Amino acid sequence: MSNPFADRMAQAMRLIRAGQPAEATACLRASGGELPGLPEGGRVMPDLAGLDLGKLSAKLRQGLGGARPRPAEPEPLPDGAAFLRRRFQGPHGSRDYRLYVPSCCAATPLPLVVMLHGCTQDASDFAAGTRMNLQAERHGLLVAYPEQPSTANPSCCWNWFEPGHQQKERGEPAIIAGIVAEVMRSHPVDPARIFVAGLSAGGAAALAAGLLHPELFAAVGVHSGLPFGAAQDMPSAFAAMREGRAAGRRPRGVRPVPTILFHGTQDGTVHPRNAQAVLDQLRLLSPAEPAEVEQGRVPGGHDYARTLYRDPTGQVMHEHWAIRGAGHVWSGGSEAGSYTDPLGPDASAEFVRFFLNRPAAFSR
């Protein structure tokens, strides 16, 4: 049986891939946003008539001051370091990825950080913008950068909003876990210190991977991301990005994991309410209460509020950094990459601090 809305969505996707966002917008508006068989008229996205895919696409392509060229290499490599190109192939799919190997500690089991880029980015761009390789040298880390191809998503977004990527041993979470397993086979990795982080769609995908694989990931970093299961398709994804979503009921099939969140208060692509929704969701999984708030300011840059959430034993379980005046960007990043704001606190440094300070109580 034909589904008119699904047909229009498919047509809109074909138009987006063909570089015709205005025509795609007109196609979706003609659908009225209605899905047959759902309550209250089946409206899955409020005010769909106001959706402009062209403007949204432009937002996704812009960093601070506009999109920047993607560098071939993020920075010169120190002697003894390597930034490898690899390809993972597994039962759930394949992905290219880059792996940074620091110049030190070649025979010592090292922590591993998995970094998931945002829409329109790639692994090299994300490494350059976040400067996570610099943190790898400072702290002796392996860093893996999985790369989402346009064949999986036209804008190279991780498909956090599709049910097929919201289940363990399926889809992109399984691919990310497979990349970790492959790195562990080829390099000495400390299995108690494996972490995953990401920006925007990558932040949502990092949260999904961490919640679905808590036996693998010791902590998660979410920058400008969204709650697990906040959307089930593209219209609900746009709604969650634009409006933020309440935590809802306790998600099934996942376990809590310590999480650090960064979000700009002026984010016009993923509403800042999503950060609080992530925290509320995490607190449904494991009790943690806001214990203290630190107000600060980067010299010559943004103000911020850092809130610590402690579990009943007094351990810090989560951190939330609200960066006042920042948009949809990686806080404290380098202008060598896209989606960065050098005026914010250094998210990469704070993520690594949070990861490496995980107390023994959280080790698996």
Side-chain angles (χ1 to χ4, degrees):
M1 181 177 177
S2 176
N3 183 331
F5 186 84
D7 292 343
R8 287 186 182 275
M9 285 299 300
Q11 183 181 355
M13 286 302 300
R14 288 193 293 270
L15 290 168
I16 291 173
R17 292 188 182 99
Q20 299 175 279
E23 290 80 357
T25 299
C27 178
L28 283 181
R29 286 175 177 170
S31 73
E34 302 292 334
L35 280 175
L38 293 181
E40 300 181 2
R43 186 167 295 279
V44 297
M45 181 174 181
D47 190 25
L48 187 59
L51 175 66
D52 188 325
L53 293 180
K55 290 182 179 179
L56 181 60
S57 178
K59 280 185 180 180
L60 294 176
R61 288 194 297 269
Q62 288 176 349
L64 186 67
R68 302 181 182 89
R70 295 173 178 172
E73 294 291 339
E75 55 195 17
L77 295 178
D79 291 343
F83 199 30
L84 308 173
R85 296 183 184 274
R86 296 285 180 85
R87 183 166 181 80
F88 168 76
Q89 292 184 311
H92 303 284
S94 60
R95 291 293 186 278
D96 292 332
Y97 67 98
R98 301 208 68 176
L99 178 66
Y100 187 83
V101 182
S103 57
C104 69
C105 322
T108 304
L110 302 179
L112 169 63
V113 179
V114 179
M115 294 285 287
L116 303 178
H117 62 75
C119 297
T120 77
Q121 295 181 312
D122 61 18
S124 295
D125 177 29
F126 198 42
T130 61
R131 296 185 295 189
M132 189 58 80
N133 293 353
L134 177 61
Q135 297 298 322
E137 281 296 319
R138 286 177 177 172
H139 299 279
L141 312 173
L142 294 162
V143 186
Y145 299 88
E147 194 165 85
Q148 181 78 317
S150 59
T151 52
N153 181 286
S155 296
C156 301
C157 305
W158 297 96
N159 293 301
W160 58 273
F161 51 87
E162 294 182 356
H165 303 291
Q166 298 171 3
Q167 302 176 50
K168 191 169 185 175
E169 305 302 337
R170 288 191 62 187
E172 290 166 2
I175 294 172
I176 293 164
I179 290 173
V180 170
E182 182 169 277
V183 174
M184 294 178 75
R185 289 191 294 269
S186 62
H187 291 79
V189 175
D190 183 347
R193 295 190 294 171
I194 302 173
F195 314 101
V196 61
L199 170 67
S200 191
L207 182 63
L211 292 177
L212 291 168
H213 292 274
E215 79 289 345
L216 186 63
F217 296 109
V220 175
V222 179
H223 201 314
S224 311
L226 300 100
F228 175 72
Q232 301 296 312
D233 51 28
M234 187 177 293
S236 58
F238 286 144
M241 290 166 61
R242 187 174 61 185
E243 302 163 7
R245 285 291 174 90
R249 289 182 288 182
R250 188 181 193 273
R252 297 180 180 179
V254 300
R255 287 166 46 198
V257 62
T259 302
I260 180 170
L261 299 101
F262 267 58
H263 214 119
T265 62
Q266 298 301 312
D267 191 332
T269 301
V270 176
H271 197 286
R273 279 194 293 263
N274 281 289
Q276 188 59 52
V278 171
L279 285 164
D280 292 344
Q281 184 177 71
L282 293 169
R283 294 167 67 197
L284 286 174
L285 295 169
S286 180
E289 297 300 324
E292 59 227 58
V293 180
E294 170 195 341
Q295 305 288 343
R297 183 174 186 174
V298 175
H302 293 302
D303 295 337
Y304 62 85
R306 172 186 176 227
T307 305
L308 304 182
Y309 288 76
R310 297 185 182 273
D311 69 8
T313 72
Q315 298 284 0
V316 174
M317 190 71 175
H318 312 300
E319 283 191 23
H320 174 210
W321 292 65
I323 316 303
R324 297 189 182 98
H328 194 65
V329 288
W330 187 271
S331 181
S334 167
E335 292 185 344
S338 61
Y339 291 88
T340 63
D341 183 352
L343 300 180
D346 189 339
S348 296
E350 297 299 340
F351 278 25
V352 169
R353 172 196 55 79
F354 181 83
F355 293 161
L356 298 184
N357 285 349
R358 291 298 81 214
F362 292 129
S363 61
R364 298 168 307 283

